Structures are given as C-alpha cells and as structure tokens.
Amino acid sequence: MAATEAPPALDSGFVREFVANAHADLAAVRDALARTPTLANAAWDWGGGDWETALGAAGHMGRPDIAALLIAHGARIDVFVAAMLGDVEIVRAIVEAHPGTREAKGPHGIPLRAYAEAGGEQARAVLELLDLKA
C-alpha cells in the first residue's frame, strides 16, 4: 500500500470560530460545513487540554438541530451527545460496560448529566437512567 500525503491542517482560527459557532449558530455551522466538510470532526483546545468539537459544543448547549447537522456530515457521536439527544440505549450500553462514565466530564468539565439536562424532554429517559444507582 502506497503512503499518501496528508492534507494540510485546517486553519486554527477557522476551527476555533467553527467550534464557537456550534454553541448556538446553526446557519454559520451549515455555511462552514458547505465550504469545508472536514470541519465536522475538527477540535479546538480552549486551553489546558480542554478540547472541544462542534458536536460537543452543540451537545452541552442542548442544540439537537446543530448536532443532527454535524452527525449528517460525519461527526463522531459520543456518550455526551447521545445523552443530550435522548439516545438512552446508547448511553445505557456505555454506562453498563463502563460504570465510571456516569461521572465522566466532557468539554469545559461539564458532567454527563448536564448534557442530558440540556436535552430537555427528549432526554428524560437518560436522566432517569443516570439517576439510578449503579
């Protein structure tokens, strides 16, 4: 198998702006993905190893619309976003396999439960699951 040359790195300022916009600006996220689809999995370090993707930003802000757009563009879903989206079976499988996940923290040190809270009514079953004793 022949080695292929890696594409150039994404502009760090563009990544920072994209992740920041994913906290609340669906139109900006849509426009950026149309221009640069590889942003879907880009991550920004806010400092001290506090890495965040656009999907993580949408997750803790309770933005299923932005999350769905990112996932449709290939963003890698994690337990935090699954919690916000109310995907209780995904969260259950991970928590049962790795019980410490109940206390896991996402970007900015935000706990898993807070993502479920951000999901509102659609994430009620996840909150109930997380409230059960391990």
Side-chain angles (χ1 to χ4, degrees):
M1 189 183 231
T4 58
E5 194 170 312
L10 295 171
D11 176 77
S12 64
F14 192 38
V15 170
R16 182 185 190 284
E17 177 183 1
F18 180 70
V19 173
N21 284 337
H23 286 82
D25 192 339
L26 177 62
V29 171
R30 184 182 296 117
D31 291 347
L33 286 170
R35 287 177 296 171
T36 311
T38 55
L39 282 168
N41 285 303
W44 177 256
D45 183 355
W46 292 104
D50 182 15
W51 289 95
E52 182 177 39
T53 64
L55 187 56
H60 72 76
M61 295 301 293
R63 294 298 305 257
D65 54 342
I66 295 174
L69 176 65
L70 289 160
I71 292 166
H73 280 82
R76 296 179 290 264
I77 192 168
D78 61 23
V79 68
F80 299 99
V81 174
M84 183 273 293
L85 292 173
D87 292 332
V88 69
E89 294 308 319
I90 292 172
V91 177
R92 182 186 326 279
I94 293 171
V95 167
E96 286 178 359
H98 306 283
T101 303
R102 285 179 187 275
E103 305 305 320
K105 305 238 183 322
H108 317 311
I110 298 171
L112 179 59
R113 190 175 202 296
Y115 282 78
E117 290 169 350
E121 187 60 34
Q122 73 179 3
R124 178 184 300 271
V126 175
L127 282 171
E128 291 169 0
L129 170 70
L130 295 174
D131 287 343
L132 294 174
K133 296 295 180 201

mmCIF file with all atom_site columns, all heavy atoms in Angstrom, residues 46 49-53 56-57 60 78-81 101-115:
data_model
loop_
_atom_site.group_PDB
_atom_site.id
_atom_site.type_symbol
_atom_site.label_atom_id
_atom_site.label_alt_id
_atom_site.label_comp_id
_atom_site.label_asym_id
_atom_site.label_entity_id
_atom_site.label_seq_id
_atom_site.pdbx_PDB_ins_code
_atom_site.Cartn_x
_atom_site.Cartn_y
_atom_site.Cartn_z
_atom_site.occupancy
_atom_site.B_iso_or_equiv
_atom_site.pdbx_formal_charge
_atom_site.auth_seq_id
_atom_site.auth_comp_id
_atom_site.auth_asym_id
_atom_site.auth_atom_id
_atom_site.pdbx_PDB_model_num
ATOM 1   N N   . TRP A 1 46  ? -9.401  24.915 24.097 1.00 0.00 ? 46  TRP A N   1
ATOM 2   C CA  . TRP A 1 46  ? -9.691  26.199 24.725 1.00 0.00 ? 46  TRP A CA  1
ATOM 3   C C   . TRP A 1 46  ? -8.625  26.554 25.762 1.00 0.00 ? 46  TRP A C   1
ATOM 4   O O   . TRP A 1 46  ? -8.630  27.657 26.304 1.00 0.00 ? 46  TRP A O   1
ATOM 5   C CB  . TRP A 1 46  ? -11.075 26.184 25.374 1.00 0.00 ? 46  TRP A CB  1
ATOM 6   C CG  . TRP A 1 46  ? -12.169 26.100 24.371 1.00 0.00 ? 46  TRP A CG  1
ATOM 7   C CD1 . TRP A 1 46  ? -12.929 25.006 24.061 1.00 0.00 ? 46  TRP A CD1 1
ATOM 8   C CD2 . TRP A 1 46  ? -12.625 27.139 23.506 1.00 0.00 ? 46  TRP A CD2 1
ATOM 9   N NE1 . TRP A 1 46  ? -13.818 25.299 23.068 1.00 0.00 ? 46  TRP A NE1 1
ATOM 10  C CE2 . TRP A 1 46  ? -13.659 26.610 22.703 1.00 0.00 ? 46  TRP A CE2 1
ATOM 11  C CE3 . TRP A 1 46  ? -12.263 28.466 23.318 1.00 0.00 ? 46  TRP A CE3 1
ATOM 12  C CZ2 . TRP A 1 46  ? -14.331 27.369 21.744 1.00 0.00 ? 46  TRP A CZ2 1
ATOM 13  C CZ3 . TRP A 1 46  ? -12.931 29.220 22.358 1.00 0.00 ? 46  TRP A CZ3 1
ATOM 14  C CH2 . TRP A 1 46  ? -13.950 28.671 21.590 1.00 0.00 ? 46  TRP A CH2 1
ATOM 15  N N   . GLY A 1 49  ? -5.748  21.711 27.629 1.00 0.00 ? 49  GLY A N   1
ATOM 16  C CA  . GLY A 1 49  ? -6.247  20.410 27.195 1.00 0.00 ? 49  GLY A CA  1
ATOM 17  C C   . GLY A 1 49  ? -7.765  20.309 27.192 1.00 0.00 ? 49  GLY A C   1
ATOM 18  O O   . GLY A 1 49  ? -8.320  19.214 27.136 1.00 0.00 ? 49  GLY A O   1
ATOM 19  N N   . ASP A 1 50  ? -8.456  21.430 27.248 1.00 0.00 ? 50  ASP A N   1
ATOM 20  C CA  . ASP A 1 50  ? -9.920  21.453 27.210 1.00 0.00 ? 50  ASP A CA  1
ATOM 21  C C   . ASP A 1 50  ? -10.371 21.414 25.750 1.00 0.00 ? 50  ASP A C   1
ATOM 22  O O   . ASP A 1 50  ? -10.810 22.407 25.182 1.00 0.00 ? 50  ASP A O   1
ATOM 23  C CB  . ASP A 1 50  ? -10.442 22.710 27.917 1.00 0.00 ? 50  ASP A CB  1
ATOM 24  C CG  . ASP A 1 50  ? -11.961 22.782 27.974 1.00 0.00 ? 50  ASP A CG  1
ATOM 25  O OD1 . ASP A 1 50  ? -12.626 21.756 27.738 1.00 0.00 ? 50  ASP A OD1 1
ATOM 26  O OD2 . ASP A 1 50  ? -12.483 23.883 28.254 1.00 0.00 ? 50  ASP A OD2 1
ATOM 27  N N   . TRP A 1 51  ? -10.241 20.231 25.139 1.00 0.00 ? 51  TRP A N   1
ATOM 28  C CA  . TRP A 1 51  ? -10.570 20.039 23.736 1.00 0.00 ? 51  TRP A CA  1
ATOM 29  C C   . TRP A 1 51  ? -12.075 19.956 23.548 1.00 0.00 ? 51  TRP A C   1
ATOM 30  O O   . TRP A 1 51  ? -12.775 19.316 24.330 1.00 0.00 ? 51  TRP A O   1
ATOM 31  C CB  . TRP A 1 51  ? -9.928  18.764 23.194 1.00 0.00 ? 51  TRP A CB  1
ATOM 32  C CG  . TRP A 1 51  ? -8.449  18.888 23.050 1.00 0.00 ? 51  TRP A CG  1
ATOM 33  C CD1 . TRP A 1 51  ? -7.508  18.503 23.959 1.00 0.00 ? 51  TRP A CD1 1
ATOM 34  C CD2 . TRP A 1 51  ? -7.747  19.448 21.949 1.00 0.00 ? 51  TRP A CD2 1
ATOM 35  N NE1 . TRP A 1 51  ? -6.253  18.793 23.486 1.00 0.00 ? 51  TRP A NE1 1
ATOM 36  C CE2 . TRP A 1 51  ? -6.371  19.369 22.249 1.00 0.00 ? 51  TRP A CE2 1
ATOM 37  C CE3 . TRP A 1 51  ? -8.135  20.003 20.738 1.00 0.00 ? 51  TRP A CE3 1
ATOM 38  C CZ2 . TRP A 1 51  ? -5.397  19.823 21.371 1.00 0.00 ? 51  TRP A CZ2 1
ATOM 39  C CZ3 . TRP A 1 51  ? -7.164  20.457 19.864 1.00 0.00 ? 51  TRP A CZ3 1
ATOM 40  C CH2 . TRP A 1 51  ? -5.803  20.370 20.186 1.00 0.00 ? 51  TRP A CH2 1
ATOM 41  N N   . GLU A 1 52  ? -12.562 20.591 22.499 1.00 0.00 ? 52  GLU A N   1
ATOM 42  C CA  . GLU A 1 52  ? -13.992 20.559 22.198 1.00 0.00 ? 52  GLU A CA  1
ATOM 43  C C   . GLU A 1 52  ? -14.189 20.495 20.690 1.00 0.00 ? 52  GLU A C   1
ATOM 44  O O   . GLU A 1 52  ? -13.517 21.192 19.936 1.00 0.00 ? 52  GLU A O   1
ATOM 45  C CB  . GLU A 1 52  ? -14.676 21.818 22.754 1.00 0.00 ? 52  GLU A CB  1
ATOM 46  C CG  . GLU A 1 52  ? -16.172 21.845 22.537 1.00 0.00 ? 52  GLU A CG  1
ATOM 47  C CD  . GLU A 1 52  ? -16.823 23.076 23.158 1.00 0.00 ? 52  GLU A CD  1
ATOM 48  O OE1 . GLU A 1 52  ? -16.236 24.181 23.086 1.00 0.00 ? 52  GLU A OE1 1
ATOM 49  O OE2 . GLU A 1 52  ? -17.916 22.917 23.712 1.00 0.00 ? 52  GLU A OE2 1
ATOM 50  N N   . THR A 1 53  ? -15.130 19.657 20.266 1.00 0.00 ? 53  THR A N   1
ATOM 51  C CA  . THR A 1 53  ? -15.558 19.632 18.876 1.00 0.00 ? 53  THR A CA  1
ATOM 52  C C   . THR A 1 53  ? -16.837 20.448 18.751 1.00 0.00 ? 53  THR A C   1
ATOM 53  O O   . THR A 1 53  ? -17.481 20.778 19.758 1.00 0.00 ? 53  THR A O   1
ATOM 54  C CB  . THR A 1 53  ? -15.840 18.193 18.403 1.00 0.00 ? 53  THR A CB  1
ATOM 55  O OG1 . THR A 1 53  ? -16.950 17.684 19.163 1.00 0.00 ? 53  THR A OG1 1
ATOM 56  C CG2 . THR A 1 53  ? -14.617 17.290 18.544 1.00 0.00 ? 53  THR A CG2 1
ATOM 57  N N   . GLY A 1 56  ? -19.565 18.476 20.387 1.00 0.00 ? 56  GLY A N   1
ATOM 58  C CA  . GLY A 1 56  ? -19.551 18.624 21.839 1.00 0.00 ? 56  GLY A CA  1
ATOM 59  C C   . GLY A 1 56  ? -20.173 19.939 22.266 1.00 0.00 ? 56  GLY A C   1
ATOM 60  O O   . GLY A 1 56  ? -20.896 20.008 23.261 1.00 0.00 ? 56  GLY A O   1
ATOM 61  N N   . ALA A 1 57  ? -19.894 21.002 21.507 1.00 0.00 ? 57  ALA A N   1
ATOM 62  C CA  . ALA A 1 57  ? -20.480 22.310 21.813 1.00 0.00 ? 57  ALA A CA  1
ATOM 63  C C   . ALA A 1 57  ? -21.999 22.256 21.687 1.00 0.00 ? 57  ALA A C   1
ATOM 64  O O   . ALA A 1 57  ? -22.724 22.702 22.585 1.00 0.00 ? 57  ALA A O   1
ATOM 65  C CB  . ALA A 1 57  ? -19.902 23.372 20.877 1.00 0.00 ? 57  ALA A CB  1
ATOM 66  N N   . HIS A 1 60  ? -23.570 20.233 24.801 1.00 0.00 ? 60  HIS A N   1
ATOM 67  C CA  . HIS A 1 60  ? -23.771 20.836 26.125 1.00 0.00 ? 60  HIS A CA  1
ATOM 68  C C   . HIS A 1 60  ? -24.665 22.064 26.078 1.00 0.00 ? 60  HIS A C   1
ATOM 69  O O   . HIS A 1 60  ? -25.192 22.490 27.106 1.00 0.00 ? 60  HIS A O   1
ATOM 70  C CB  . HIS A 1 60  ? -22.456 21.091 26.870 1.00 0.00 ? 60  HIS A CB  1
ATOM 71  C CG  . HIS A 1 60  ? -21.610 22.205 26.370 1.00 0.00 ? 60  HIS A CG  1
ATOM 72  N ND1 . HIS A 1 60  ? -21.903 23.523 26.599 1.00 0.00 ? 60  HIS A ND1 1
ATOM 73  C CD2 . HIS A 1 60  ? -20.441 22.192 25.669 1.00 0.00 ? 60  HIS A CD2 1
ATOM 74  C CE1 . HIS A 1 60  ? -20.955 24.284 26.064 1.00 0.00 ? 60  HIS A CE1 1
ATOM 75  N NE2 . HIS A 1 60  ? -20.072 23.498 25.489 1.00 0.00 ? 60  HIS A NE2 1
ATOM 76  N N   . ASP A 1 78  ? -20.616 10.830 20.584 1.00 0.00 ? 78  ASP A N   1
ATOM 77  C CA  . ASP A 1 78  ? -20.066 10.257 21.813 1.00 0.00 ? 78  ASP A CA  1
ATOM 78  C C   . ASP A 1 78  ? -21.176 10.161 22.849 1.00 0.00 ? 78  ASP A C   1
ATOM 79  O O   . ASP A 1 78  ? -22.329 10.542 22.593 1.00 0.00 ? 78  ASP A O   1
ATOM 80  C CB  . ASP A 1 78  ? -18.869 11.065 22.325 1.00 0.00 ? 78  ASP A CB  1
ATOM 81  C CG  . ASP A 1 78  ? -19.201 12.518 22.665 1.00 0.00 ? 78  ASP A CG  1
ATOM 82  O OD1 . ASP A 1 78  ? -20.379 12.833 22.935 1.00 0.00 ? 78  ASP A OD1 1
ATOM 83  O OD2 . ASP A 1 78  ? -18.282 13.342 22.674 1.00 0.00 ? 78  ASP A OD2 1
ATOM 84  N N   . VAL A 1 79  ? -20.859 9.640  24.022 1.00 0.00 ? 79  VAL A N   1
ATOM 85  C CA  . VAL A 1 79  ? -21.868 9.418  25.057 1.00 0.00 ? 79  VAL A CA  1
ATOM 86  C C   . VAL A 1 79  ? -22.501 10.729 25.517 1.00 0.00 ? 79  VAL A C   1
ATOM 87  O O   . VAL A 1 79  ? -23.688 10.765 25.862 1.00 0.00 ? 79  VAL A O   1
ATOM 88  C CB  . VAL A 1 79  ? -21.289 8.620  26.244 1.00 0.00 ? 79  VAL A CB  1
ATOM 89  C CG1 . VAL A 1 79  ? -20.260 9.437  27.025 1.00 0.00 ? 79  VAL A CG1 1
ATOM 90  C CG2 . VAL A 1 79  ? -22.388 8.108  27.158 1.00 0.00 ? 79  VAL A CG2 1
ATOM 91  N N   . PHE A 1 80  ? -21.765 11.810 25.494 1.00 0.00 ? 80  PHE A N   1
ATOM 92  C CA  . PHE A 1 80  ? -22.300 13.096 25.936 1.00 0.00 ? 80  PHE A CA  1
ATOM 93  C C   . PHE A 1 80  ? -23.403 13.579 24.996 1.00 0.00 ? 80  PHE A C   1
ATOM 94  O O   . PHE A 1 80  ? -24.479 13.974 25.440 1.00 0.00 ? 80  PHE A O   1
ATOM 95  C CB  . PHE A 1 80  ? -21.176 14.136 26.036 1.00 0.00 ? 80  PHE A CB  1
ATOM 96  C CG  . PHE A 1 80  ? -20.123 13.759 27.023 1.00 0.00 ? 80  PHE A CG  1
ATOM 97  C CD1 . PHE A 1 80  ? -18.938 13.169 26.621 1.00 0.00 ? 80  PHE A CD1 1
ATOM 98  C CD2 . PHE A 1 80  ? -20.329 13.966 28.378 1.00 0.00 ? 80  PHE A CD2 1
ATOM 99  C CE1 . PHE A 1 80  ? -17.968 12.801 27.543 1.00 0.00 ? 80  PHE A CE1 1
ATOM 100 C CE2 . PHE A 1 80  ? -19.366 13.604 29.319 1.00 0.00 ? 80  PHE A CE2 1
ATOM 101 C CZ  . PHE A 1 80  ? -18.186 13.018 28.891 1.00 0.00 ? 80  PHE A CZ  1
ATOM 102 N N   . VAL A 1 81  ? -23.129 13.529 23.717 1.00 0.00 ? 81  VAL A N   1
ATOM 103 C CA  . VAL A 1 81  ? -24.129 13.966 22.734 1.00 0.00 ? 81  VAL A CA  1
ATOM 104 C C   . VAL A 1 81  ? -25.294 12.983 22.691 1.00 0.00 ? 81  VAL A C   1
ATOM 105 O O   . VAL A 1 81  ? -26.451 13.388 22.567 1.00 0.00 ? 81  VAL A O   1
ATOM 106 C CB  . VAL A 1 81  ? -23.478 14.168 21.355 1.00 0.00 ? 81  VAL A CB  1
ATOM 107 C CG1 . VAL A 1 81  ? -24.525 14.484 20.292 1.00 0.00 ? 81  VAL A CG1 1
ATOM 108 C CG2 . VAL A 1 81  ? -22.451 15.295 21.437 1.00 0.00 ? 81  VAL A CG2 1
ATOM 109 N N   . THR A 1 101 ? -18.420 6.007  33.622 1.00 0.00 ? 101 THR A N   1
ATOM 110 C CA  . THR A 1 101 ? -18.905 7.011  32.677 1.00 0.00 ? 101 THR A CA  1
ATOM 111 C C   . THR A 1 101 ? -19.974 7.900  33.301 1.00 0.00 ? 101 THR A C   1
ATOM 112 O O   . THR A 1 101 ? -20.117 9.059  32.917 1.00 0.00 ? 101 THR A O   1
ATOM 113 C CB  . THR A 1 101 ? -19.464 6.315  31.412 1.00 0.00 ? 101 THR A CB  1
ATOM 114 O OG1 . THR A 1 101 ? -18.436 5.503  30.854 1.00 0.00 ? 101 THR A OG1 1
ATOM 115 C CG2 . THR A 1 101 ? -19.918 7.313  30.379 1.00 0.00 ? 101 THR A CG2 1
ATOM 116 N N   . ARG A 1 102 ? -20.714 7.391  34.282 1.00 0.00 ? 102 ARG A N   1
ATOM 117 C CA  . ARG A 1 102 ? -21.737 8.211  34.950 1.00 0.00 ? 102 ARG A CA  1
ATOM 118 C C   . ARG A 1 102 ? -21.138 9.514  35.482 1.00 0.00 ? 102 ARG A C   1
ATOM 119 O O   . ARG A 1 102 ? -21.818 10.529 35.541 1.00 0.00 ? 102 ARG A O   1
ATOM 120 C CB  . ARG A 1 102 ? -22.339 7.461  36.144 1.00 0.00 ? 102 ARG A CB  1
ATOM 121 C CG  . ARG A 1 102 ? -23.280 6.371  35.802 1.00 0.00 ? 102 ARG A CG  1
ATOM 122 C CD  . ARG A 1 102 ? -23.778 5.718  37.103 1.00 0.00 ? 102 ARG A CD  1
ATOM 123 N NE  . ARG A 1 102 ? -24.568 4.561  36.819 1.00 0.00 ? 102 ARG A NE  1
ATOM 124 C CZ  . ARG A 1 102 ? -25.869 4.582  36.534 1.00 0.00 ? 102 ARG A CZ  1
ATOM 125 N NH1 . ARG A 1 102 ? -26.510 5.723  36.516 1.00 0.00 ? 102 ARG A NH1 1
ATOM 126 N NH2 . ARG A 1 102 ? -26.510 3.471  36.272 1.00 0.00 ? 102 ARG A NH2 1
ATOM 127 N N   . GLU A 1 103 ? -19.880 9.465  35.882 1.00 0.00 ? 103 GLU A N   1
ATOM 128 C CA  . GLU A 1 103 ? -19.214 10.636 36.462 1.00 0.00 ? 103 GLU A CA  1
ATOM 129 C C   . GLU A 1 103 ? -18.285 11.331 35.467 1.00 0.00 ? 103 GLU A C   1
ATOM 130 O O   . GLU A 1 103 ? -17.564 12.256 35.842 1.00 0.00 ? 103 GLU A O   1
ATOM 131 C CB  . GLU A 1 103 ? -18.417 10.223 37.698 1.00 0.00 ? 103 GLU A CB  1
ATOM 132 C CG  . GLU A 1 103 ? -19.232 9.488  38.755 1.00 0.00 ? 103 GLU A CG  1
ATOM 133 C CD  . GLU A 1 103 ? -20.450 10.274 39.200 1.00 0.00 ? 103 GLU A CD  1
ATOM 134 O OE1 . GLU A 1 103 ? -20.349 11.511 39.359 1.00 0.00 ? 103 GLU A OE1 1
ATOM 135 O OE2 . GLU A 1 103 ? -21.520 9.657  39.378 1.00 0.00 ? 103 GLU A OE2 1
ATOM 136 N N   . ALA A 1 104 ? -18.322 10.897 34.213 1.00 0.00 ? 104 ALA A N   1
ATOM 137 C CA  . ALA A 1 104 ? -17.417 11.457 33.203 1.00 0.00 ? 104 ALA A CA  1
ATOM 138 C C   . ALA A 1 104 ? -17.724 12.922 32.955 1.00 0.00 ? 104 ALA A C   1
ATOM 139 O O   . ALA A 1 104 ? -18.855 13.385 33.101 1.00 0.00 ? 104 ALA A O   1
ATOM 140 C CB  . ALA A 1 104 ? -17.536 10.664 31.903 1.00 0.00 ? 104 ALA A CB  1
ATOM 141 N N   . LYS A 1 105 ? -16.691 13.645 32.579 1.00 0.00 ? 105 LYS A N   1
ATOM 142 C CA  . LYS A 1 105 ? -16.822 15.067 32.272 1.00 0.00 ? 105 LYS A CA  1
ATOM 143 C C   . LYS A 1 105 ? -16.428 15.288 30.816 1.00 0.00 ? 105 LYS A C   1
ATOM 144 O O   . LYS A 1 105 ? -15.468 14.723 30.318 1.00 0.00 ? 105 LYS A O   1
ATOM 145 C CB  . LYS A 1 105 ? -15.920 15.890 33.183 1.00 0.00 ? 105 LYS A CB  1
ATOM 146 C CG  . LYS A 1 105 ? -16.179 15.610 34.667 1.00 0.00 ? 105 LYS A CG  1
ATOM 147 C CD  . LYS A 1 105 ? -16.552 16.833 35.386 1.00 0.00 ? 105 LYS A CD  1
ATOM 148 C CE  . LYS A 1 105 ? -16.755 16.696 36.865 1.00 0.00 ? 105 LYS A CE  1
ATOM 149 N NZ  . LYS A 1 105 ? -17.369 15.530 37.380 1.00 0.00 ? 105 LYS A NZ  1
ATOM 150 N N   . GLY A 1 106 ? -17.184 16.122 30.152 1.00 0.00 ? 106 GLY A N   1
ATOM 151 C CA  . GLY A 1 106 ? -16.913 16.488 28.769 1.00 0.00 ? 106 GLY A CA  1
ATOM 152 C C   . GLY A 1 106 ? -16.139 17.790 28.699 1.00 0.00 ? 106 GLY A C   1
ATOM 153 O O   . GLY A 1 106 ? -15.517 18.219 29.685 1.00 0.00 ? 106 GLY A O   1
ATOM 154 N N   . PRO A 1 107 ? -16.191 18.452 27.552 1.00 0.00 ? 107 PRO A N   1
ATOM 155 C CA  . PRO A 1 107 ? -15.520 19.737 27.419 1.00 0.00 ? 107 PRO A CA  1
ATOM 156 C C   . PRO A 1 107 ? -15.938 20.700 28.526 1.00 0.00 ? 107 PRO A C   1
ATOM 157 O O   . PRO A 1 107 ? -17.094 20.686 28.989 1.00 0.00 ? 107 PRO A O   1
ATOM 158 C CB  . PRO A 1 107 ? -15.993 20.235 26.047 1.00 0.00 ? 107 PRO A CB  1
ATOM 159 C CG  . PRO A 1 107 ? -16.259 18.974 25.283 1.00 0.00 ? 107 PRO A CG  1
ATOM 160 C CD  . PRO A 1 107 ? -16.832 18.029 26.299 1.00 0.00 ? 107 PRO A CD  1
ATOM 161 N N   . HIS A 1 108 ? -15.009 21.518 28.947 1.00 0.00 ? 108 HIS A N   1
ATOM 162 C CA  . HIS A 1 108 ? -15.207 22.526 29.997 1.00 0.00 ? 108 HIS A CA  1
ATOM 163 C C   . HIS A 1 108 ? -15.537 21.888 31.350 1.00 0.00 ? 108 HIS A C   1
ATOM 164 O O   . HIS A 1 108 ? -16.025 22.575 32.254 1.00 0.00 ? 108 HIS A O   1
ATOM 165 C CB  . HIS A 1 108 ? -16.292 23.534 29.636 1.00 0.00 ? 108 HIS A CB  1
ATOM 166 C CG  . HIS A 1 108 ? -16.270 24.029 28.226 1.00 0.00 ? 108 HIS A CG  1
ATOM 167 N ND1 . HIS A 1 108 ? -15.119 24.492 27.606 1.00 0.00 ? 108 HIS A ND1 1
ATOM 168 C CD2 . HIS A 1 108 ? -17.247 24.113 27.289 1.00 0.00 ? 108 HIS A CD2 1
ATOM 169 C CE1 . HIS A 1 108 ? -15.405 24.853 26.371 1.00 0.00 ? 108 HIS A CE1 1
ATOM 170 N NE2 . HIS A 1 108 ? -16.680 24.628 26.154 1.00 0.00 ? 108 HIS A NE2 1
ATOM 171 N N   . GLY A 1 109 ? -15.286 20.576 31.489 1.00 0.00 ? 109 GLY A N   1
ATOM 172 C CA  . GLY A 1 109 ? -15.568 19.888 32.744 1.00 0.00 ? 109 GLY A CA  1
ATOM 173 C C   . GLY A 1 109 ? -17.049 19.669 32.998 1.00 0.00 ? 109 GLY A C   1
ATOM 174 O O   . GLY A 1 109 ? -17.455 19.413 34.126 1.00 0.00 ? 109 GLY A O   1
ATOM 175 N N   . ILE A 1 110 ? -17.857 19.747 31.962 1.00 0.00 ? 110 ILE A N   1
ATOM 176 C CA  . ILE A 1 110 ? -19.308 19.597 32.107 1.00 0.00 ? 110 ILE A CA  1
ATOM 177 C C   . ILE A 1 110 ? -19.645 18.118 32.249 1.00 0.00 ? 110 ILE A C   1
ATOM 178 O O   . ILE A 1 110 ? -19.275 17.305 31.399 1.00 0.00 ? 110 ILE A O   1
ATOM 179 C CB  . ILE A 1 110 ? -20.044 20.222 30.908 1.00 0.00 ? 110 ILE A CB  1
ATOM 180 C CG1 . ILE A 1 110 ? -19.738 21.729 30.854 1.00 0.00 ? 110 ILE A CG1 1
ATOM 181 C CG2 . ILE A 1 110 ? -21.548 19.962 30.988 1.00 0.00 ? 110 ILE A CG2 1
ATOM 182 C CD1 . ILE A 1 110 ? -20.224 22.424 29.599 1.00 0.00 ? 110 ILE A CD1 1
ATOM 183 N N   . PRO A 1 111 ? -20.368 17.741 33.311 1.00 0.00 ? 111 PRO A N   1
ATOM 184 C CA  . PRO A 1 111 ? -20.671 16.326 33.544 1.00 0.00 ? 111 PRO A CA  1
ATOM 185 C C   . PRO A 1 111 ? -21.723 15.772 32.577 1.00 0.00 ? 111 PRO A C   1
ATOM 186 O O   . PRO A 1 111 ? -22.540 16.513 32.023 1.00 0.00 ? 111 PRO A O   1
ATOM 187 C CB  . PRO A 1 111 ? -21.186 16.294 34.981 1.00 0.00 ? 111 PRO A CB  1
ATOM 188 C CG  . PRO A 1 111 ? -21.657 17.674 35.262 1.00 0.00 ? 111 PRO A CG  1
ATOM 189 C CD  . PRO A 1 111 ? -20.852 18.598 34.385 1.00 0.00 ? 111 PRO A CD  1
ATOM 190 N N   . LEU A 1 112 ? -21.699 14.465 32.431 1.00 0.00 ? 112 LEU A N   1
ATOM 191 C CA  . LEU A 1 112 ? -22.620 13.759 31.545 1.00 0.00 ? 112 LEU A CA  1
ATOM 192 C C   . LEU A 1 112 ? -24.070 14.142 31.838 1.00 0.00 ? 112 LEU A C   1
ATOM 193 O O   . LEU A 1 112 ? -24.864 14.382 30.926 1.00 0.00 ? 112 LEU A O   1
ATOM 194 C CB  . LEU A 1 112 ? -22.414 12.242 31.687 1.00 0.00 ? 112 LEU A CB  1
ATOM 195 C CG  . LEU A 1 112 ? -23.310 11.351 30.841 1.00 0.00 ? 112 LEU A CG  1
ATOM 196 C CD1 . LEU A 1 112 ? -23.142 11.637 29.357 1.00 0.00 ? 112 LEU A CD1 1
ATOM 197 C CD2 . LEU A 1 112 ? -23.019 9.889  31.153 1.00 0.00 ? 112 LEU A CD2 1
ATOM 198 N N   . ARG A 1 113 ? -24.425 14.190 33.112 1.00 0.00 ? 113 ARG A N   1
ATOM 199 C CA  . ARG A 1 113 ? -25.812 14.503 33.488 1.00 0.00 ? 113 ARG A CA  1
ATOM 200 C C   . ARG A 1 113 ? -26.252 15.854 32.925 1.00 0.00 ? 113 ARG A C   1
ATOM 201 O O   . ARG A 1 113 ? -27.396 16.026 32.518 1.00 0.00 ? 113 ARG A O   1
ATOM 202 C CB  . ARG A 1 113 ? -25.971 14.488 35.001 1.00 0.00 ? 113 ARG A CB  1
ATOM 203 C CG  . ARG A 1 113 ? -27.419 14.564 35.433 1.00 0.00 ? 113 ARG A CG  1
ATOM 204 C CD  . ARG A 1 113 ? -27.585 14.419 36.946 1.00 0.00 ? 113 ARG A CD  1
ATOM 205 N NE  . ARG A 1 113 ? -28.917 13.991 37.299 1.00 0.00 ? 113 ARG A NE  1
ATOM 206 C CZ  . ARG A 1 113 ? -30.025 14.691 37.079 1.00 0.00 ? 113 ARG A CZ  1
ATOM 207 N NH1 . ARG A 1 113 ? -29.960 15.855 36.476 1.00 0.00 ? 113 ARG A NH1 1
ATOM 208 N NH2 . ARG A 1 113 ? -31.202 14.210 37.448 1.00 0.00 ? 113 ARG A NH2 1
ATOM 209 N N   . ALA A 1 114 ? -25.356 16.831 32.888 1.00 0.00 ? 114 ALA A N   1
ATOM 210 C CA  . ALA A 1 114 ? -25.702 18.158 32.378 1.00 0.00 ? 114 ALA A CA  1
ATOM 211 C C   . ALA A 1 114 ? -26.060 18.117 30.895 1.00 0.00 ? 114 ALA A C   1
ATOM 212 O O   . ALA A 1 114 ? -26.906 18.892 30.433 1.00 0.00 ? 114 ALA A O   1
ATOM 213 C CB  . ALA A 1 114 ? -24.556 19.135 32.631 1.00 0.00 ? 114 ALA A CB  1
ATOM 214 N N   . TYR A 1 115 ? -25.433 17.210 30.155 1.00 0.00 ? 115 TYR A N   1
ATOM 215 C CA  . TYR A 1 115 ? -25.785 17.061 28.740 1.00 0.00 ? 115 TYR A CA  1
ATOM 216 C C   . TYR A 1 115 ? -27.211 16.552 28.619 1.00 0.00 ? 115 TYR A C   1
ATOM 217 O O   . TYR A 1 115 ? -27.980 17.022 27.774 1.00 0.00 ? 115 TYR A O   1
ATOM 218 C CB  . TYR A 1 115 ? -24.826 16.102 28.036 1.00 0.00 ? 115 TYR A CB  1
ATOM 219 C CG  . TYR A 1 115 ? -23.496 16.716 27.700 1.00 0.00 ? 115 TYR A CG  1
ATOM 220 C CD1 . TYR A 1 115 ? -22.519 16.891 28.667 1.00 0.00 ? 115 TYR A CD1 1
ATOM 221 C CD2 . TYR A 1 115 ? -23.207 17.139 26.409 1.00 0.00 ? 115 TYR A CD2 1
ATOM 222 C CE1 . TYR A 1 115 ? -21.293 17.458 28.368 1.00 0.00 ? 115 TYR A CE1 1
ATOM 223 C CE2 . TYR A 1 115 ? -21.993 17.700 26.096 1.00 0.00 ? 115 TYR A CE2 1
ATOM 224 C CZ  . TYR A 1 115 ? -21.037 17.866 27.067 1.00 0.00 ? 115 TYR A CZ  1
ATOM 225 O OH  . TYR A 1 115 ? -19.827 18.434 26.763 1.00 0.00 ? 115 TYR A OH  1
#
